[in-house]
Amino acid sequence: MVGGGQLARMTHQAGIPLGVRFRVLADTSSDSAAQVAGDVVVGDYRDLDTLKAFAAGCDVVTFDHEHVPTEHLRALEAAGVAVRPGPDALLHAHDKGVMRKRLAELGVPCPRNRIVADPADVVRFAEEDEGAAGFPVVLKTTVGGYDGKGVWVVRGPEEAAEPFRAGVPVLAEEKVDFVRELAASVVRSPHGQAVAYPVVESLQVDGVCFQVTAPAPGLSAGRAAEAQEIALRIAGELGVTGHLAVEMFETADGRVLVNELAMRPHNSGHWSIDGAVASQFENHLRAVLDLPLGEPSARAPWTVMVNVLGGDYPDMYRPYLHVMARDPGLKVHMYGKDVKPGRKVGHVTVCGSDLDEVRERALHAAAYLRGDITE
Amino acid sequence: MVGGGQLARMTHQAGIPLGVRFRVLADTSSDSAAQVAGDVVVGDYRDLDTLKAFAAGCDVVTFDHEHVPTEHLRALEAAGVAVRPGPDALLHAHDKGVMRKRLAELGVPCPRNRIVADPADVVRFAEEDEGAAGFPVVLKTTVGGYDGKGVWVVRGPEEAAEPFRAGVPVLAEEKVDFVRELAASVVRSPHGQAVAYPVVESLQVDGVCFQVTAPAPGLSAGRAAEAQEIALRIAGELGVTGHLAVEMFETADGRVLVNELAMRPHNSGHWSIDGAVASQFENHLRAVLDLPLGEPSARAPWTVMVNVLGGDYPDMYRPYLHVMARDPGLKVHMYGKDVKPGRKVGHVTVCGSDLDEVRERALHAAAYLRGDITE
């Protein structure tokens, strides 16, 4: 797996029972996954020779992020490396402009969007294009963004210059007045077997995933099936291998619009480690290794996952003891990362039959670990 | 953890979400745990200098087997190393003679037993001692046995010589006419917090654990509580830190007799990875690290674990694909070990609400992986 973050860490964990020998390409030997994996290569994923040396001896190469340059992926494939998902699919997660164009061709419902050339063009998008509804609009760099980085909500022309400073193409999108965010995740294997996880509700704070509830409360069976079908269709049409998370907006007028795609294990699927029969990490591995896929259904009526973000206190050990003592049923997942304000350093999960109680327990533990509450 | 077998492998897996940095002392770099852990020391656990070098920098030292010489454990403790479980407790798992003497002092029900000096003394134990019921009797070397090794069922005086050839003291025990075997597992932390897992039924074949059903079917609440109380009492009286498995015989006349003790994660607890809120491996780590313990209760009405033993076919890859394709809900656990006839190379687990169906699925998968059935 290219990338040594927490997604690789949790993928290695899922691979142990499968008997998978896991090699990780990490930026440093102290990366989250590098701390726990047995076969660690330290190097720069932007360097083709590093990637080639890393891939030698691997049956399959997969990714914990979408930042590997597409030309490097094509070069690896040309050299005979099994790259999964492949560059033709991964391009749609790497480049939001390519993704929007392709989803439009497929007729998948998306927010109104187009590539914009400069701040003046942003004004045309906001105020003059067909369907224009004025500011605010959302601007995104087409490549390189994650966790709210590379995304701006622009309230007027005077704020429209900043996104162009990165020197990459900029995508403008209508700011959707959504009721909530959903995520539909599917896993697809090279020969086309696919499984769909229950559709979840995802609550973001400042562009960072914060709380996930599985399944999405109050979502009708019809709407859930529609979201799953969209995700299955995208996975099939784009030729995705592995886990695909489709982040969606649910609108007040009953529409589901696609927001983002991720072709790797995704924060919206962390609930599945404790909450599903086979987790997203296990099924991602099973897919990229072309093994039969595992059962994606939930093990409990409700599962709530809350991210643990770094707070003002660098040492989380005492609250870590406290939350385990307070709630023996709490599942704590720490990523081995130094605590910095706002950084994802872990997550907690609670499963049960009473949603209010399950959510309270998960939120309390995450808030306590962060240091927001002390009792 | 001293010892690089599958118990260490699964303990490392359980430590990843806890944020534990795991170091393993393995016999070879290809040991089951050495394949997946990031911090591997290869060396001989019988050598004190190796143990001391291994322990340097560890917060706690624990074990995946009970074969480390007691004098080495005492030397480590004297050097300031936190050894958990400690040598005073571990001695009872290391030496069956010490264990039997102590359980007798505690009034814990055991099969009739005593140390025997030679074959003639075995005849006295079988035919002349108070309560003697004739042959067969069970002879065990007091140290060094595991998985049926070091245990003999002796049908007459002519078979009584063999166990003495190892040159270690020999324990004689009545051959209990049991209805079935049970295992009661508890986990105890250094300051005395303890949790008890549901009592399970364990089916052994040729002295090797084969099938475990959680909870033990048809076991009355009273008998289950009695078994858990025996295990909690032994853990407390012996000062155990970590996981203690108490293997027991259930007799036709309604008694529960203690057979063996294991002070480490144990085959009878593998069901808990998929079947309990917190597995034996997670709780063993939480205990030896003096973290608050996790919830030991079952997540499903029934969980069945079946060991995957090596069969006549060295390559298990095709059956591995088959069982995953046949049963997406099956949980497969492979240990990364070469397949040899009779060797434990993995286990499978199924959870559900219909015991017959759950058991059939687990038995089928294990038999298919072994190569006993091909459809």
Side-chain angles (χ1 to χ4, degrees):
Chain A
M1 183 169 263
V2 175
Q6 64 263 28
L7 300 178
R9 180 183 177 102
M10 293 185 273
T11 303
H12 172 50
Q13 181 189 334
I16 294 173
L18 293 174
V20 171
R21 301 245 188 158
F22 189 82
R23 178 181 297 170
V24 63
L25 179 61
D27 291 339
T28 75
S29 61
S30 62
D31 281 10
S32 181
Q35 292 172 21
V36 299
D39 190 355
V40 179
V41 176
V42 174
D44 186 346
Y45 64 84
R46 295 165 301 189
D47 178 67
L48 181 57
D49 289 339
T50 299
L51 287 169
K52 280 185 174 170
F54 170 74
C58 290
D59 295 310
V60 178
V61 171
T62 189
F63 310 93
D64 106 325
H65 59 68
E66 43 275 287
H67 303 317
V68 179
T70 301
E71 64 271 23
H72 289 358
L73 300 180
R74 295 202 195 282
L76 286 176
E77 278 205 331
V81 175
V83 176
R84 296 179 183 159
D88 291 337
L90 209 49
L91 183 58
H92 300 84
H94 179 75
D95 186 318
K96 296 183 208 295
V98 173
M99 180 267 284
R100 284 299 184 211
K101 183 162 178 292
R102 185 67 191 277
L103 294 188
E105 289 165 7
L106 295 174
V108 170
C110 292
R112 186 176 69 86
N113 69 85
R114 71 169 170 86
I115 298 289
V116 284
D118 53 35
D121 200 20
V122 175
V123 175
R124 284 190 288 278
F125 175 84
E127 299 183 341
E128 296 168 26
D129 283 2
E130 184 184 343
F135 285 94
V137 297
V138 178
L139 298 182
K140 300 175 174 176
T141 53
T142 51
V143 298
Y146 69 98
D147 276 357
K149 294 177 182 65
V151 178
W152 295 260
V153 178
V154 174
R155 287 163 296 179
E158 68 286 358
E159 295 178 359
E162 173 67 20
F164 293 91
R165 292 197 180 117
V168 295
V170 173
L171 181 73
E173 299 187 349
E174 70 171 304
K175 183 164 189 322
V176 176
D177 183 23
F178 59 85
V179 178
R180 60 174 170 178
E181 292 185 70
L182 302 173
S185 286
V186 297
V187 181
R188 184 173 175 277
S189 69
H191 63 278
Q193 188 193 7
V195 294
Y197 282 92
V199 178
V200 303
E201 177 182 302
S202 169
L203 181 65
Q204 319 263 331
V205 175
D206 297 333
V208 178
C209 176
F210 174 66
Q211 179 188 152
V212 170
T213 303
L219 188 69
S220 71
R223 186 73 51 82
E226 181 192 345
Q228 288 178 317
E229 279 162 18
I230 288 172
L232 286 168
R233 190 157 160 250
I234 293 172
E237 294 283 354
L238 271 51
V240 174
T241 297
H243 187 264
L244 168 72
V246 182
E247 295 183 273
M248 301 174 175
F249 299 121
E250 186 180 23
T251 67
D253 59 356
R255 290 177 302 152
V256 169
L257 304 174
V258 170
N259 182 22
E260 302 275 1
L261 305 184
M263 290 178 201
R264 50 170 169 77
H266 187 253
N267 202 159
S268 65
H270 291 358
W271 71 274
S272 64
I273 300 174
D274 303 299
V277 177
S279 76
Q280 67 163 346
F281 299 100
E282 177 176 346
N283 265 331
H284 182 77
L285 277 177
R286 287 167 76 150
V288 301
L289 293 167
D290 204 10
L291 303 173
L293 302 181
E295 175 62 47
S297 63
R299 296 195 63 181
W302 298 106
T303 302
V304 174
M305 187 286 319
V306 182
N307 277 347
V308 176
L309 302 177
D312 295 331
Y313 306 101
D315 185 356
M316 221 173 248
Y317 187 67
R318 282 177 57 89
Y320 168 83
L321 293 179
H322 174 90
V323 298
M324 283 194 269
R326 182 182 192 263
D327 187 351
L330 182 77
K331 302 308 293 183
V332 177
H333 298 259
M334 303 305 292
Y335 303 155
K337 293 160 78 171
D338 291 338
V339 175
K340 294 177 186 169
R343 188 184 203 194
K344 289 180 188 174
V345 296
H347 73 267
V348 293
T349 306
V350 179
C351 302
S353 53
D354 180 329
L355 176 56
D356 290 339
E357 181 224 314
V358 164
R359 179 173 283 156
E360 187 281 327
R361 288 165 56 194
L363 284 170
H364 182 280
Y368 200 98
L369 284 165
R370 183 178 175 134
D372 289 349
I373 52 174
T374 54
E375 62 185 312
Chain B
M1 183 169 264
V2 175
Q6 65 264 27
L7 300 178
R9 181 183 177 102
M10 293 185 272
T11 303
H12 172 50
Q13 181 189 336
I16 294 174
L18 294 174
V20 171
R21 302 246 188 158
F22 189 81
R23 177 182 296 171
V24 64
L25 178 62
D27 291 338
T28 76
S29 61
S30 62
D31 281 10
S32 182
Q35 294 172 21
V36 299
D39 189 354
V40 179
V41 176
V42 173
D44 186 344
Y45 64 83
R46 294 165 302 189
D47 178 67
L48 181 57
D49 288 338
T50 300
L51 287 169
K52 279 185 175 169
F54 169 75
C58 289
D59 295 310
V60 178
V61 172
T62 189
F63 310 92
D64 106 326
H65 59 68
E66 43 274 289
H67 304 318
V68 180
T70 303
E71 63 270 24
H72 289 359
L73 300 179
R74 294 202 194 284
L76 286 176
E77 278 206 329
V81 175
V83 177
R84 294 176 186 161
D88 291 337
L90 209 49
L91 183 58
H92 299 84
H94 178 73
D95 186 319
K96 296 183 209 297
V98 172
M99 180 266 283
R100 284 299 183 209
K101 182 163 180 288
R102 186 67 192 277
L103 294 188
E105 289 166 6
L106 295 174
V108 170
C110 291
R112 185 175 70 86
N113 70 85
R114 71 169 170 87
I115 298 290
V116 282
D118 52 37
D121 200 21
V122 174
V123 176
R124 285 191 287 277
F125 175 83
E127 300 184 340
E128 297 169 24
D129 283 3
E130 185 183 342
F135 284 93
V137 298
V138 178
L139 298 182
K140 299 175 175 176
T141 53
T142 51
V143 298
Y146 69 98
D147 275 357
K149 294 177 182 66
V151 178
W152 294 261
V153 177
V154 174
R155 286 163 296 179
E158 68 286 357
E159 294 179 0
E162 173 67 21
F164 293 92
R165 292 196 181 116
V168 295
V170 174
L171 182 72
E173 298 187 350
E174 70 172 304
K175 184 164 189 321
V176 176
D177 182 24
F178 60 85
V179 178
R180 61 175 170 176
E181 293 185 70
L182 302 172
S185 286
V186 297
V187 181
R188 185 174 174 276
S189 70
H191 63 278
Q193 188 191 10
V195 294
Y197 282 92
V199 177
V200 302
E201 177 182 302
S202 169
L203 181 65
Q204 319 264 329
V205 175
D206 298 333
V208 178
C209 176
F210 174 66
Q211 179 188 152
V212 170
T213 304
L219 189 69
S220 71
R223 187 73 52 81
E226 182 191 344
Q228 289 178 317
E229 279 163 18
I230 287 172
L232 287 167
R233 189 155 160 250
I234 293 172
E237 293 283 354
L238 272 49
V240 175
T241 298
H243 187 264
L244 168 71
V246 182
E247 295 183 275
M248 300 174 177
F249 299 121
E250 186 180 22
T251 67
D253 59 354
R255 291 178 301 153
V256 169
L257 304 175
V258 170
N259 182 24
E260 303 274 2
L261 304 184
M263 290 177 198
R264 50 169 170 78
H266 187 253
N267 203 160
S268 65
H270 291 358
W271 71 275
S272 63
I273 300 173
D274 302 300
V277 177
S279 76
Q280 65 164 349
F281 299 100
E282 176 175 346
N283 265 332
H284 182 77
L285 277 176
R286 287 167 76 150
V288 302
L289 293 166
D290 204 10
L291 304 172
L293 301 182
E295 175 62 48
S297 62
R299 297 194 63 182
W302 298 107
T303 302
V304 173
M305 186 289 315
V306 181
N307 277 346
V308 177
L309 303 177
D312 295 331
Y313 306 101
D315 186 355
M316 221 172 247
Y317 187 67
R318 282 178 57 88
Y320 167 83
L321 293 178
H322 173 90
V323 299
M324 282 194 270
R326 182 182 193 264
D327 187 351
L330 182 77
K331 302 308 292 183
V332 177
H333 298 259
M334 302 306 290
Y335 304 155
K337 293 160 79 172
D338 290 337
V339 175
K340 294 178 186 170
R343 189 183 201 193
K344 289 179 188 174
V345 297
H347 73 266
V348 293
T349 307
V350 179
C351 303
S353 53
D354 180 328
L355 176 56
D356 290 339
E357 182 224 315
V358 164
R359 178 173 285 156
E360 187 281 329
R361 288 164 57 194
L363 284 171
H364 182 280
Y368 201 98
L369 284 165
R370 184 179 175 134
D372 289 349
I373 52 174
T374 55
E375 62 186 314

